[in-house]
Amino acid sequence: MTEEARIVEGAAGELKLQGVLDYRTGPALLEAGLKLIRHSTAGSLKLDCSGVVKSSSVGLSLVLAFIREARAAKKSLSVRGIPEDMQGIARVSGLLELLSPQA
């Protein structure tokens, strides 16, 4: 698996977050992800994080920003495939519930 960080649009309403999420890759990923969310015609989005190789707190910040942007755009966003390191940071921060699948 490549470590190149990117966010890409998959099937209808699916966004795939991949690579190493850190201070170097965060700003470009944030900009690209927000743009994808804004321009998506899907009312329900799925963020697949199973391609994330490694994540610092920047990764968690990205996911939270994507959730916030989707809500602002009146779209639902569910997150799946959250890597262990991101789950650990979310748990310690008291934010793990925000990453749980939403109905």
Side-chain angles (χ1 to χ4, degrees), residues 3-95:
E3 291 189 13
E4 178 186 347
R6 61 190 183 143
I7 184 165
V8 295
E9 195 167 16
E14 183 181 39
L15 304 175
K16 297 180 179 188
L17 190 56
Q18 304 168 337
V20 176
L21 313 182
D22 61 19
Y23 71 95
R24 292 169 293 165
T25 61
L29 289 171
L30 177 62
E31 184 178 326
L34 295 178
K35 186 175 180 180
L36 286 172
I37 291 167
R38 286 183 197 126
H39 291 94
S40 175
T41 57
S44 178
L45 302 169
K46 295 178 182 97
L47 179 63
D48 180 0
C49 297
S50 62
V52 173
V53 176
K54 184 174 176 154
S55 177
S56 70
S57 60
V58 171
L60 179 59
S61 295
L62 284 170
V63 171
L64 295 174
F66 296 157
I67 291 170
R68 192 170 41 249
E69 183 65 25
R71 286 181 181 165
K74 308 255 189 269
K75 300 174 184 180
S76 66
L77 187 139
S78 60
V79 184
R80 73 173 197 86
I82 302 166
E84 286 296 320
D85 49 0
M86 192 185 299
Q87 286 184 41
I89 296 166
R91 189 175 298 108
V92 168
S93 304
L95 299 170

